DNA sequence: CTAAAACCTCACGTTGACGTCAAGGGCAAG
DNA sequence: CTTGCCCTTGACGTCAACGTGAGGTTTTAG
C-alpha cells in the first residue's frame, strides 16, 4: 500500500509526536484520536495528526481525563459546543484555573528555596540559627 | 487522653483539610506528614497540620509524586537546600513551568469554545458552513 | 523470493494515590 | 458496664494511562 506524501503510519506518527505506538492505539480506543485504515487494516494518519497528538498530550499533562478530552475535543474542532455542555466547559475551565493557581504557588515556594540556597542572606542566616521561627518564614509566606 | 486546645486527632484534621483519613495515613506512610502519638498509639496533630496538608494537596494536584514531595518539603521547611539538590529543584521548577504553559494553552482553547458558543459571531456562522476551514480556525490558533 | 522490520489484535502486568473492608482497641455518656 | 464512635494496623481492590509480551500478518529492503 502506497501512502500519500502527507500520510503516515503509526510508527512515524509516534516518532514525530514523541509518544509510544501503544499510547496512540490507546487514544484511538478512548475515542480521542481517529485513523483511516488501509485495506489490510493498518492505521493511516494525515500530517495534522502530529499537532493533534501534541494537543492531546498537553491536555493529559494538564490533568484532564481521557473522557473529558473526548468530551471537549469535538467542540475544539468545530469551534462551538452544544449549549447543554457549557456548564461542563465552565467547570473544566475553573478546575484548570485553580490548578494553575496551585502550581504557581508551589513554584513560588520552590523558587524561594532555590533563591535562598543560591544566595543566602544575612536574614536567612539569622533564621537558620533561630529554630523557633523556622516554619513561619517560608511555609507561612502565603498567608 | 485529653488533648490541648490546638491539637486534634486524625478525624478532625481530615475534616478540616477536606481529605480522607486514609489519605493522611498514606501521607505519613510516604514520609510527607508526621504525627505525634498518644500513649495508646493514636495520632495527634497540631493546628499547623491543616495548612501542611493543604500544601501537600496542592503539590499533588500540581502533578508532583510523593517521593518528590518528600524530597522538597524539608527544604521548604528549613528554607534552604543542600547544594547537591539544587539541580533537582531547578528541574522540578522547570517541569512545573511547562505544565503551567500547557494548562494555559488548554484553557485558552476552552475559553475560545465557550466564547464562540455563548456569543456566536457572523464570522463563526460562516465558518460553521465552510467545512474546509473548520480545523484551522481553533486548532491552528496557537501557530 | 526471502528475511527483517513494522504492523495488527488480544490480553495480562505496572504504578500511584488512594478506597474499602476486617478485626480489634480506646474512651465519654447513660 | 455497655453502647457507640473514633481510632489502630493490615491487606486486598480500583482506576487510569499506558508497558509488555504472544502470536500472527503486512510491508519493505536486498
Amino acid at each position: 500500500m502506497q501512502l500519500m506524501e502527507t500520510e503516515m503510519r503509526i510508527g512515524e506518527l509516534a516518532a514525530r509526536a514523541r509518544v509510544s505506538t501503544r499510547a496512540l492505539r490507546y487514544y484511538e480506543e478512548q475515542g480521542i484520536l481517529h485513523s483511516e485504515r488501509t485495506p489490510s487494516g493498518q492505521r493511516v494518519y494525515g500530517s495534522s495528526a502530529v499537532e493533534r497528538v501534541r494537543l492531546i498530550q498537553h491536555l493529559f499533562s494538564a490533568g484532564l481525563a481521557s473522557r473529558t478530552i473526548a468530551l471537549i475535543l469535538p467542540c475544539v474542532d468545530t469551534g462551538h459546543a452544544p449549549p447543554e455542555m457549557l456548564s461542563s466547559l465552565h467547570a473544566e475551565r475553573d478546575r484548570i484555573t485553580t490548578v494553575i493557581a496551585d502550581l504557581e504557588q508551589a513554584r513560588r515556594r520552590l523558587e524561594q528555596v532555590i533563591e535562598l540556597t543560591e544566595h543566602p542572606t544575612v536574614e536567612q542566616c539569622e533564621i537558620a540559627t533561630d529554630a523557633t521561627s523556622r516554619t513561619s518564614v517560608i511555609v507561612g509566606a502565603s498567608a
Side-chain angles (χ1 to χ4, degrees), chain A residues 2 6 23-24 29 33 44 55 59 62 90-91 99 106 108 112 137:
Chain A
Q2 179 70 338
T6 64
L24 296 180
E29 188 182 316
L33 179 67
V44 178
L55 169 59
L59 294 175
H90 276 282
V99 170
R108 274 194 301 275
Q112 284 178 10
V137 176

Side-chain angles (χ1 to χ4, degrees), chain A residues 12-62:
Chain A
E12 188 177 346
L13 176 57
R16 289 202 192 176
R18 305 280 179 184
V19 297
S20 68
T21 60
R22 177 66 175 95
L24 296 180
R25 294 197 187 97
Y26 175 75
Y27 296 163
E28 183 168 323
E29 188 182 316
Q30 301 300 306
I32 60 185
L33 179 67
H34 307 293
S35 64
E36 300 300 313
R37 298 294 184 113
T38 67
S40 67
Q42 300 206 348
R43 291 172 178 84
V44 178
Y45 303 92
S47 56
S48 65
V50 178
E51 254 312 297
R52 182 69 160 197
V53 172
R54 290 235 166 90
L55 169 59
I56 292 173
Q57 290 282 104
H58 288 160
L59 294 175
F60 269 123
S61 93

